[in-house]
Amino acid sequence: MSDNDTKKPTGDSQPPPKGAPSETREAPGSTPKHPPAGAKLDTPPAAHSAPTAPPPPPAPKPAGPPPPKNPGFVTCTIDGKEVVVKPGTNMVEAARSVGSDIPYFCYHPRLSIAANCRMCMVEASNAPKLVPACQTPLAEGQVIKTNTPKVKEQQRAVMEFLLLNHPVDCSICDQAGECKLQDYYMRYDYRPSRLEGGKVMKNKRKVLGPRVVLDQERCIICSRCVRFMNEIPKEPQLGIFGRGSHEVIDTFPGSELNSNYSLNTVDICPVGALLSRDFRFRARSWFLSAAPSVCTGCSRGCNTYADFMAQDTYRYRPRENEAINKSWMCDQGRLSYKYLNLGRVLSAVVGRQQGGTARPEVARKEAIKAAAKALGEVKGKVAVLASPLASNEDLLATLTFAKGTLGAKEIYVGGRPQGDADHYLMTADKNPNRKGLELIAAGLGLALRPFDELVKAIDGGKVRALYAVGTEVPGNVETFAQAAAKLDVFVAQAMNESPLTAQATVLLPASTHVEYDGSFVQMDGIVQRFRKAYPSKGDAVAHWALAAELTRELGGTAAWTSSREAFRELGKQVAEFAQFDWDKAAPPDREKPGINPLPTAADGRPPGYREFGAPRVRGL
């Protein structure tokens, strides 16, 4: 056999060898080009040979796939419904867009694809066997079926496999009410276990680090936590060790899970394996409610859910925001909720603390009168200290009062001291609204002065009266409290007790950001709304309300009676707030009017409804 025998025809025309007879048929009546031997031509040939006939057209190529129905997109059918998506979209995302729910454990829209839980297997028209929906991109014209008997049996079998060695200790598990195993068992399995014999025993309380504990018996080896640590904070501190049913998640020998983003692994764990040591055994998820809020741990302004019960906040969880924190938040910010519960100023006090005796508490109206009288006597001579922990509405009202009523021309900046920053979300500035304070002061024509100048002015006797909006200071609190003891008038609006509040001549209780509606401006200038979670504790009200009461007591006009009115009326003076719609920017805190705030779950939705909607809106 020659080489030419194995070559496939290309369809290209080949010129015949020299002298070979032509297979082209002559038209009737035409002169043959190669007459038989001995035949004579009636007409002698020309001096030059006539041009040869053009070669035959090439054979038609086999027909390719039809052009896409929607150019630039992929059009397919999922459960009888046409879907048009971008190329590369996987089946889980595409099915969700038409209301088909494909269950999964290991898939996460912000992590790489592992496809190891096998829960999302579906039927595809171009595959002989079931394919993992999370890993398989859609093809043009493909037909996907997610609810056939074959798919349902696959889901049931996977659930039975995952629950074989699971301890099923839901009654003591913190994930109860937020657990995919619970939800999926009721929806896809709902059968007793067929296991004969004992289950594989593993470590029930494996402390991975200072903030996370692992129950290895509950783990289904979805590898979400391992992929998160490798890909998001880029701190590979977790791994999968062992083989078969003895495979476990653990830290590498000699190390621990001490990343500032370790608690995100608790959020994305689909079962009760990874648990927060801070929240563990503190509350059941169905007793908690969730309010959309903003983290006050630093100037990043990560979007959060504040989970609360009665008038106590139990935890922060990240809320989806593509422009700021995506789906994550740092551990320091997550644990910064504790000041909302502890050491609160809940009653007004008039007079400094003398020795160790407790100061008598008075009604807030009496304290407002005392503060107005004291400030009225030092108009034009009072210094103003503003904390960047206060909201935009608080700062608009209090600084307008300071300028218009007290005659202030400059503002001293307080707030928390600088701290550590990291490579991802956490910033060194531990104040959530420093940018807002700068914008509002500029809009009102007030100069900002550093805190150190206030300390020098008090020590030098230049400042004898001080009005403080928040008592957080960037220096040593006890040292500044000793300086504040020299003041003749010290009116302080404070959220938390401290050595500084003990030196206030009039102390007014202020609400925290989860106790009223408001907004912050984060470090990049993005204005963000937060929602009220529960009523203010004790006799506390927001800073803007205290400023309104002081303004009216001193004979001024303060028409605003809510955060919304304060922002809409006073925010006109700040050019950067002109394009911000206070009402439309509010994140939704309920499904329907009149319904209480949503019960908390893995993403703030009621249990059983967590998987509805687009994945990037779920807060995971």
Side-chain angles (χ1 to χ4, degrees), residues 224 231 338 362:
R224 272 186 176 189
E231 298 165 13
K338 297 186 178 182
V362 299

Side-chain angles (χ1 to χ4, degrees), residues 287-306:
F287 292 142
L288 298 176
S289 295
S293 189
V294 175
C295 177
T296 57
C298 75
S299 60
R300 178 71 64 181
C302 293
N303 288 214
T304 66
Y305 283 108

